[in-house]
Amino acid sequence: MISVNDDEDLHFRKAEFDPADCPQDCSRPCEIVCPANAISLEEEKSSAGHLWNNNEEGKKQGGVLTERCYGCGRCIPVCPYDKIRVHTYVRDAAATSELLRREEIDALEIHTSGRQTLHFRSLWEGLGDTIHHLRLVAVSFPDVGDSTISTMNAMYSIMEPRLRCFNLWQLDGRPMSGDIGRGATRESVAFAVRLAAASDRPRGFLQLAGGTNAHTVAGLKKHGLFQTKSVSEENFKDGQSMVGSLGPLDAPIGGIAYGGYARKVVGRILSAMQSQHGLTCIEESPDYLFKALAEALALVGTVKCYDVPS
Ligand code: SF4
Ligand code: SF4
């Protein structure tokens, strides 16, 4: 699956700041709060390798490790000196089409604001017939209140003429926050409860995202929304007939996307590995790889209803 956006979106931004501008006595709360360990600051050393002992003392180097930053924004409000900015970007439809044409991509996730469909239409039209190479199109959007269903219907009517595969609505209950505590999942479950009950929503599976964590399945069960429905490999080979055979209220919850929470539980293993072995690929440390897989399976197992080996 590849992810694209049709306009500015929290998932498509990176934090940035110039560490040379940071006051020398800053206690670096940005570094502490970052859940992805994407901020690394060190005191600058002289060319001889010693810490400066003049007015350069304490000057910082390093900053945001762009490839690790996932745009959660938590570093921004904690900076007492307002030094952190965000750089947003929009994926180019032509570059995405080129990727789809190579037939190595099964699924496309489109992040949209849910507030208008102008940019969504423009992206969808820009992708042209390359959409036909896909097995799944997921549209990710936040709860925008009363207009949510009408916007979903508007987006579906834009997609429908060229949609020949499964489609899924990814409900971004509370963006990138599942790792902050048990209660974060309430908004994603509440969003799912509302949409599952809406008979006027368009065709497509519902998937929870944003605020999802280890308590999400329990939250869904409490509302009678957790059930499984098998989709056979034969159905996958012929997505069109499967789409045609599903009623709009079948299999109300098609999946759960664990973003920030998965990053947190697997991140603990990665940090332990890095403390022992330094910066290395997890595939080179089988013990840590299997520990990370066990953490991931503990999440997926509750959704797929299988026991996780201890
Ligand atoms: S935006 Fe989030 S992930 Fe990126 S540097 Fe700031 S706290 Fe870290
Ligand atoms: S909190 Fe702000 S001033 Fe302090 S180190 Fe981080 S970016 Fe620099």
Side-chain angles (χ1 to χ4, degrees):
M1 173 182 272
I2 57 168
S3 297
V4 299
N5 52 333
D6 65 358
D7 197 9
E8 286 197 359
D9 185 282
L10 294 182
H11 300 84
F12 294 82
R13 64 180 191 169
K14 301 278 184 186
E16 56 188 17
F17 64 88
D18 180 357
D21 276 351
C22 296
Q24 296 174 9
D25 59 353
C26 180
S27 60
R28 317 196 312 212
C30 59
E31 207 177 16
I32 297 162
V33 80
C34 177
N37 290 333
I39 296 179
S40 171
L41 290 161
E42 284 172 20
E43 287 189 8
E44 201 167 332
K45 291 180 179 170
S46 69
S47 53
H50 304 298
L51 287 175
W52 295 99
N53 57 3
N54 51 25
N55 60 2
E56 293 289 307
E57 192 177 2
K59 207 167 170 183
K60 294 171 181 58
Q61 62 180 7
V64 178
L65 304 167
T66 305
E67 66 280 9
R68 286 195 186 177
C69 171
Y70 66 100
C72 71
R74 289 178 211 172
C75 54
I76 300 165
V78 302
C79 174
Y81 302 100
D82 196 22
K83 295 288 183 192
I84 306 178
R85 300 280 171 268
V86 284
H87 161 68
T88 57
Y89 54 99
V90 179
R91 295 268 190 230
D92 176 56
T96 304
S97 284
E98 192 46 48
L99 276 175
L100 300 187
R101 215 169 273 125
R102 289 187 212 161
E103 300 215 325
E104 291 165 359
I105 312 286
D106 290 325
L108 180 70
E109 177 191 45
I110 303 174
H111 285 269
T112 188
S113 69
R115 289 190 179 83
Q116 45 75 32
T117 53
L118 199 68
H119 298 303
F120 184 84
R121 180 184 292 280
S122 152
L123 171 63
W124 189 257
E125 285 172 0
L127 295 174
D129 287 342
T130 54
I131 290 293
H132 296 158
H133 297 288
L134 291 166
R135 299 165 81 185
L136 173 78
V137 173
V139 178
S140 178
F141 57 99
D143 188 351
V144 288
D146 292 345
S147 58
T148 303
I149 303 280
S150 60
T151 308
M152 286 170 75
N153 279 309
M155 289 192 284
Y156 189 74
S157 48
I158 290 168
M159 291 193 292
E160 194 175 15
R162 276 185 289 122
L163 190 64
R164 297 186 189 165
C165 60
F166 293 106
N167 79 296
L168 178 154
W169 303 100
Q170 185 162 277
L171 317 180
D172 209 357
R174 181 173 167 163
M176 296 183 279
S177 61
D179 57 317
I180 62 174
R182 181 187 182 114
T185 204
R186 275 192 215 114
E187 283 167 62
S188 67
V189 172
F191 194 9
V193 167
R194 193 157 67 78
L195 284 202
S199 56
D200 53 345
R201 68 181 155 85
R203 186 183 295 283
F205 296 102
L206 300 180
Q207 171 161 289
L208 278 73
T212 48
N213 57 31
H215 306 287
T216 305
V217 167
L220 287 174
K221 281 184 177 164
K222 213 165 108 185
H223 292 278
L225 275 183
F226 188 78
Q227 53 181 274
T228 54
K229 184 179 178 89
S230 302
V231 177
S232 72
E233 184 61 21
E234 277 310 303
N235 291 138
F236 268 120
K237 282 181 191 146
D238 182 9
Q240 186 55 37
S241 69
M242 182 64 190
V243 170
S245 69
L246 279 177
L249 296 179
D250 281 343
I253 303 302
I256 300 173
Y258 295 110
Y261 186 74
R263 206 175 274 117
K264 180 181 177 182
V265 294
V266 175
R268 285 196 290 253
I269 313 280
L270 290 175
S271 297
M273 180 192 75
Q274 284 173 10
S275 311
Q276 191 180 352
H277 300 299
L279 277 175
T280 177
C281 289
I282 198 164
E283 288 81 354
E284 287 164 20
S285 306
D287 286 356
Y288 286 106
L289 176 61
F290 285 116
K291 277 184 194 164
L293 281 173
E295 291 282 4
L297 284 172
L299 281 178
V300 177
T302 56
V303 181
K304 299 287 184 186
C305 300
Y306 56 68
D307 293 331
V308 179
S310 53

